[in-house]
Amino acid sequence: MTDGVATGAAREFLESARQEFQAAISFQWELDRLEKLGVQPPQRILDVGCSTGDHARRLRELDFHLTGLDLGHNREAARRRVDRFVEGDVREPETWDGLEADVAMARLLLRHVGPQAPAVVGHMAAAAPLVVLVTALPNTMEGATGQLAQALAMMTRLAVPDATGLLRAAGLEVVDEAVFTWTSTSRSDRAAMRFLALPLSEALAPMASLDGEIVAQDMDRWLLEGGPGTFRLGFCAGRRS
């Protein structure tokens, strides 16, 4: 019983640390881009696909008004971190009834909605005059081997969502495009990158008939023996003309 509690507590701590690191490493960059677009508190931000609401929490702490929209898997955590939580499938039109904001923002969502991405971005454009899409771009890890290498290859093969095309198709003028790049060179940097890249690699594992635990082991081997790695995010914003 004690060991189980300790293990659970350790896992909770590591997951919390991973989420905190992943958010912090790119949050200031995203905030700088929002400020350049004239986004300021107390404007209303609709966080589309808000998950646990961790990113929304950071924006709310800066006095933005946050509405989180997502399925109900993380409803309790999200409700504590946003001003209003709307439970629903972003792919369903009725989910969007009555939703309005100054900014509609989706982080790392588009790959999850697949061919329905144009409809989702269209709903975002109807809900807010400014739409922001943050997308995950392929990671690189020099010296990656085994199933980790296969997972990374799959990331590269997957079509990166055409954010600019989606915004234009929704009738928006593209007003900002940027790429955030963080490169790990030392072992401590690679340890940090493990927190960034492992969750995505493990999520892709079942799609490629890989074993998530083996992917994690290969990640640890890369941490000890591999070379530099690069983590990238794309930022694209469109505004009603």
Side-chain angles (χ1 to χ4, degrees):
M1 179 71 72
T2 302
D3 289 344
V5 171
T7 300
R11 287 178 178 171
E12 183 177 347
F13 172 79
L14 288 173
E15 176 63 14
S16 175
R18 181 193 67 76
Q19 291 180 357
E20 186 71 13
F21 182 88
Q22 185 170 359
I25 198 170
S26 61
F27 178 76
Q28 188 58 52
W29 172 75
E30 292 179 31
L31 186 62
D32 289 344
R33 304 225 67 83
L34 289 173
E35 289 178 348
K36 289 178 181 178
L37 291 167
V39 179
Q40 297 286 342
Q43 286 184 311
R44 301 166 300 163
I45 296 179
L46 174 61
D47 189 349
V48 182
C50 67
S51 186
T52 61
D54 188 65
H55 191 265
R57 170 186 62 82
R58 291 171 176 271
L59 290 168
R60 190 184 184 203
E61 288 173 352
L62 297 174
D63 294 328
F64 289 100
H65 184 281
L66 265 295
T67 296
L69 170 60
D70 209 334
L71 296 171
H73 306 309
N74 298 299
R75 68 172 69 88
E76 295 307 319
R79 281 175 176 155
R80 292 194 299 268
R81 294 167 173 168
V82 298
D83 296 287
R84 177 192 178 199
F85 177 72
V86 177
E87 183 175 334
D89 189 332
V90 299
R91 296 166 294 188
E92 299 297 333
E94 58 269 20
T95 298
W96 297 84
D97 289 348
L99 288 179
E100 293 184 354
D102 300 299
V103 183
M105 187 171 187
R107 300 184 76 259
L108 314 182
L109 172 73
L110 297 183
R111 277 181 173 165
H112 297 287
V113 297
Q116 292 176 286
V120 171
V121 175
H123 291 308
M124 294 173 69
L130 179 66
V131 173
V132 173
L133 304 176
V134 179
T135 56
L137 304 178
N139 299 317
T140 59
M141 296 181 186
E142 186 177 310
T145 58
Q147 292 198 15
L148 173 62
Q150 295 178 52
L152 291 170
M154 185 176 185
M155 285 186 218
T156 302
R157 288 195 303 271
L158 283 173
V160 175
D162 178 14
T164 57
L166 290 169
L167 292 172
R168 292 187 177 114
L172 302 174
E173 177 188 0
V174 177
V175 292
D176 191 24
E177 292 181 82
V179 174
F180 170 83
T181 301
W182 181 75
T183 300
S184 66
T185 54
S186 67
R187 183 174 296 180
S188 60
D189 284 344
R190 291 201 300 275
M193 186 171 176
R194 183 187 190 281
F195 282 101
L196 293 168
L198 182 58
L200 183 57
S201 300
E202 288 179 320
L204 288 173
M207 299 169 60
S209 300
L210 304 177
D211 186 313
E213 290 188 8
I214 296 178
V215 171
Q217 292 170 12
D218 290 338
M219 178 75 79
D220 288 333
R221 186 176 298 110
W222 171 79
L223 171 62
L224 294 172
E225 304 170 1
T230 300
F231 175 82
R232 299 187 302 149
L233 290 175
F235 181 102
C236 194
R239 196 189 301 274
R240 291 179 196 160
S241 51

